[in-house]
Amino acid sequence: MAKKKLRILVVNGPNLGHLGVRQPEIYGTQGMDAVPGMVCDLLGKNAAEVSLEFFQSNSEGGIIDRLTKAWEDKVDALVVNAGAYTHTSLALADCLAWIKLPCVEVHLSNLAARTDDPLRQRSFVGRHSIGVIAGFGILGYGLAVQALWKRLRG
Ligand code: DQA
């Protein structure tokens, strides 16, 4: 019998709908359309065992509704780049705390190095995540999927 695919929802928060265009000097020149190919490269033959879904919203409620639906739909794991809500949203943290889906927090930029903006040093997502990947641009999403694969199926 064919193995059940690992379903992973990739969630992007506000202003991440224009990756590649938005401040490319900080966030890079590639868009999310590069991610599936990256996952194939990183996972090799195992990529066929992963099913990726993508969601982006500029609204806090939209993200929370989608995460709740992921729980209802029994999605296996999450990759979350909540954009600026990372640093502000207790509501998002509350959602991740109860749905308890394995989650990897991703950021395109290296937040630890953005010391000009101390608010960016705090994350409400990290406390409910297995781990954090930051600073590798769009590759971070692929690495997060690979990490989830290793953790859940490796
Ligand atoms: C970001 C970092 C956040 O501080 C910022 O608000 C973003 C993008 C990143 O991917 O580097 O929108 O999450």
Side-chain angles (χ1 to χ4, degrees):
M1 207 171 58
K3 256 198 276 170
K4 198 174 144 292
K5 286 193 181 195
L6 187 71
R7 282 179 70 190
I8 299 179
L9 174 66
V10 180
V11 175
N12 272 335
N15 300 304
L16 292 167
H18 288 87
L19 281 183
V21 178
R22 172 193 178 198
Q23 295 170 287
E25 68 287 2
I26 301 176
Y27 300 116
T29 53
Q30 284 180 295
M32 289 301 286
D33 51 343
V35 173
M38 227 165 247
V39 168
C40 285
D41 289 348
L42 289 166
L43 287 185
K45 65 175 176 23
N46 293 328
E49 305 294 329
V50 174
S51 160
L52 291 180
E53 297 162 50
F54 293 90
F55 177 77
Q56 191 274 328
S57 175
N58 292 326
S59 93
E60 196 174 18
I63 296 168
I64 291 166
D65 287 346
R66 186 64 189 87
L67 291 173
T68 305
K69 186 172 182 312
W71 174 79
E72 288 165 357
D73 292 348
K74 299 190 170 28
V75 161
D76 296 300
L78 304 169
V79 173
V80 176
N81 182 351
Y85 289 139
T86 304
H87 318 299
T88 62
S89 180
L90 193 53
L92 177 55
D94 281 352
C95 178
L96 291 169
W98 79 261
I99 65 172
K100 290 193 171 65
L101 290 176
C103 175
V104 175
E105 176 180 359
V106 166
H107 297 285
L108 297 139
S109 61
N110 178 5
L111 293 174
R114 296 180 72 176
T115 46
D116 53 319
D117 205 343
L119 270 184
R120 291 187 205 275
Q121 305 301 318
R122 177 181 71 175
S123 171
F124 282 103
V125 173
R127 58 190 74 175
H128 300 296
S129 299
I130 298 170
V132 183
I133 297 171
F136 295 97
I138 210 91
L139 175 64
Y141 294 93
L143 294 171
V145 171
Q146 189 182 32
L148 285 167
W149 170 268
K150 291 262 181 209
R151 173 64 69 96
L152 300 172
R153 292 282 170 87

